[in-house]
Amino acid sequence: MYRFTLFSKIFPSEKSTLSSRERNRLYWMLLLLLLFLLPTLYRRVVVTQEFLRRLDSGNVYIAQGLALEAEREWLCAERLAPNNPIVLQLLGALYVRQNRPAEARQALNRLADSAPNEPHVLCRFAALEFYRGGIGMRAFAQQDALRAAKLEPDCLDAQRIAGEVSFWVGEDEDGLNYLNRAIHVQPDNIPLRLYLISHLVRMKRLPKAIELAQEAQAQNPQAIMAHGVLGSLYRRLPTDSPEHKKAEAELQIALQKNPTNSTFCFELGEWYLLQKQPEKALKYLETARKNGYVGSAVWEALARTHQQLGDNRAFEQAQKMTLWHRNTEKKLMVLDRLIMDCPGNARLHQDRNTLYQALATGSRSNASLQRREKFPLFLP
């Protein structure tokens, strides 16, 4: 009863009416308030329209390749709406592409501060720094990638970028940990699982790599990729182990549906070489080479095969090709490193493309040799 009485005092009942004088006073107060707010509302509408115009104008300039004009428009938009996440993201991406690390760092830091709860802001921020920023932003990329992985534990991209950066700076254990976290976020991501397996093989962690491959096969027994990967891992085990003997069967299963898969043909050829069966090895190694498996590894295997067969002429030719491919691969590794340090250097990209075209010479499948940048899909 007290509660209803109290509310009735605060909110008069419908029966209560205002006097004519009170109503006039209320109307005048509302009118004065409206007149007071009108200039502010008008300015906000005008500023918003000008902001959107500057934003769109900058996008048009970018489409035309006029980066300087786009920057000018976006800076005007940023002054109209300070710390607007859209403008900061555009400016940050522009500065990173132009290799202006100090300005990019400032804009992207403000972006991270202004939108701390926005999904993927931090991990995309780190990816921009790492993949596009060059050597000037490498240390910042590492800091921000690790911060993103900590603040976004359920973000696949955040964990993957942290792993990528860790591998690049030589902290392999941290890289494995971040990729393992990414796998827990998305267990059915087969490409990510294969990427982790490749690093485990590089670090000679075959038991863990085999465990991950077996999990993938259990999840999808019909996937030929799982059988091929498992066979490739079994091949690397000691020859007297039971799993090593299973490598042939697993690789044959994978090749039943895709008999020209260059990777699995190469792996099976290597397995036959270990079994001292050069005739069978030659068949699969040649299939691998003709279908795009170009590199020193396949030529080295062919050299050993011809040596076991007693074909000296073919052995010498394969040895020459092995040395040429090794030297070319070393040059490519140096260029890859230089391009990561200076991503905007067009000459380095041209030199790398020339080397890849040289590797593609004589191959039936040039498409398999197309260099694919490792930039994440979400980058502008």
Side-chain angles (χ1 to χ4, degrees):
M1 189 68 185
Y2 174 78
R3 183 172 55 189
F4 293 116
T5 305
L6 177 64
F7 274 93
S8 65
K9 292 180 179 179
I10 298 176
F11 302 106
S13 64
E14 295 180 359
K15 294 181 179 179
S16 62
T17 58
L18 296 173
S19 66
S20 175
R21 184 178 180 181
E22 290 174 332
R23 282 199 304 270
N24 289 334
R25 183 183 300 174
L26 180 60
Y27 293 152
W28 279 108
M29 289 177 62
L30 291 175
L31 181 60
L32 289 173
L33 179 62
L34 181 60
L35 291 174
F36 176 77
L37 293 177
L38 191 59
T40 302
L41 294 174
Y42 177 75
R43 283 196 299 271
R44 288 190 177 182
V45 170
V46 172
V47 167
T48 300
Q49 290 178 342
E50 179 67 8
F51 168 79
L52 294 175
R53 189 185 72 78
R54 296 283 186 176
L55 205 63
D56 293 338
S57 181
N59 290 329
V60 171
Y61 281 131
I62 282 292
Q64 296 173 349
L66 304 173
L68 184 61
E69 289 78 0
E71 179 188 1
R72 184 174 61 246
E73 293 295 322
W74 288 339
L75 285 174
C76 290
E78 200 276 330
R79 284 193 289 271
L80 293 170
N83 295 324
N84 182 279
I86 298 176
V87 180
L88 292 175
Q89 189 171 25
L90 290 171
L91 286 171
L94 177 65
Y95 293 146
V96 170
R97 284 177 179 272
Q98 294 180 331
N99 195 24
R100 297 160 65 180
E103 293 160 292
R105 177 72 180 170
Q106 183 182 14
L108 293 174
N109 262 314
R110 289 172 59 197
L111 170 63
D113 293 337
S114 63
N117 298 320
E118 185 74 17
H120 303 305
V121 165
L122 291 176
C123 62
R124 294 180 182 186
F125 172 15
L128 277 169
E129 291 179 308
F130 179 64
Y131 291 108
R132 305 279 194 183
I135 194 170
M137 300 186 72
R138 190 64 43 73
F140 296 136
Q142 183 181 11
Q143 296 172 13
D144 295 322
L146 301 186
R147 180 163 60 112
K150 181 178 180 180
L151 296 178
E152 302 179 64
D154 297 326
C155 175
L156 177 70
D157 289 328
Q159 304 305 320
R160 183 178 61 82
I161 292 299
E164 189 92 4
V165 175
S166 298
F167 287 131
W168 183 263
V169 299
E171 297 176 359
D172 288 343
E173 291 297 332
D174 289 339
L176 290 179
N177 289 334
Y178 287 118
L179 287 187
N180 273 310
R181 294 180 189 176
I183 289 291
H184 286 300
V185 172
Q186 201 172 97
D188 58 344
N189 190 319
I190 299 300
L192 180 63
R193 188 177 291 265
L194 294 177
Y195 181 58
L196 175 55
I197 287 174
S198 69
H199 279 290
L200 289 168
V201 172
R202 178 179 62 83
M203 297 170 63
K204 303 188 186 306
R205 306 280 185 86
L206 280 179
K208 181 61 178 177
I210 290 173
E211 179 185 336
L212 290 173
Q214 289 173 338
E215 289 177 1
Q217 189 185 59
Q219 292 173 1
N220 192 355
Q222 304 301 321
I224 62 171
M225 183 65 70
H227 288 282
V229 171
L230 201 53
S232 302
L233 295 173
Y234 286 161
R235 179 184 73 78
R236 289 166 169 77
L237 294 173
T239 55
D240 57 348
S241 64
E243 288 80 8
H244 180 80
K245 296 179 175 59
K246 296 178 183 178
E248 180 186 15
E250 294 290 346
L251 289 167
Q252 289 286 9
I253 292 173
L255 289 171
Q256 282 176 1
K257 294 185 178 180
N258 190 1
T260 59
N261 184 294
S262 61
T263 300
F264 299 148
C265 284
F266 169 77
E267 293 290 337
L268 190 54
E270 282 277 22
W271 190 86
Y272 282 127
L273 267 182
L274 290 173
Q275 307 304 314
K276 306 299 182 184
Q277 301 180 46
E279 295 84 359
K280 290 184 178 181
L282 181 62
K283 169 189 171 184
Y284 287 102
L285 291 173
E286 282 292 348
T287 302
R289 184 185 67 80
K290 291 176 181 178
N291 285 278
Y293 199 102
V294 176
S296 61
V298 69
W299 283 107
E300 183 180 1
L302 283 168
R304 288 186 283 120
T305 302
H306 290 304
Q307 188 176 37
Q308 289 186 20
L309 291 170
D311 189 341
N312 292 330
R313 183 177 178 181
F315 166 69
E316 292 176 359
Q317 184 180 3
Q319 270 197 322
K320 290 180 181 179
M321 293 299 295
T322 300
L323 291 175
W324 182 84
H325 277 85
R326 281 179 182 170
N327 291 331
T328 304
E329 288 163 0
K330 288 179 181 178
K331 293 177 183 177
L332 283 171
M333 288 179 64
V334 173
L335 281 173
D336 283 341
R337 200 84 186 180
L338 291 174
I339 287 173
M340 281 296 291
D341 289 342
C342 303
N345 190 317
R347 179 62 183 273
L348 293 176
H349 287 278
Q350 182 180 355
D351 291 344
R352 185 177 62 176
N353 290 336
T354 300
L355 287 179
Y356 272 100
Q357 290 173 4
L359 284 176
T361 302
S363 173
R364 289 185 180 179
S365 180
N366 291 350
S368 64
L369 296 171
Q370 294 294 325
R371 180 66 173 179
R372 298 189 64 186
E373 302 291 354
K374 294 168 64 179
F375 302 152
L377 296 177
F378 52 70
L379 283 182

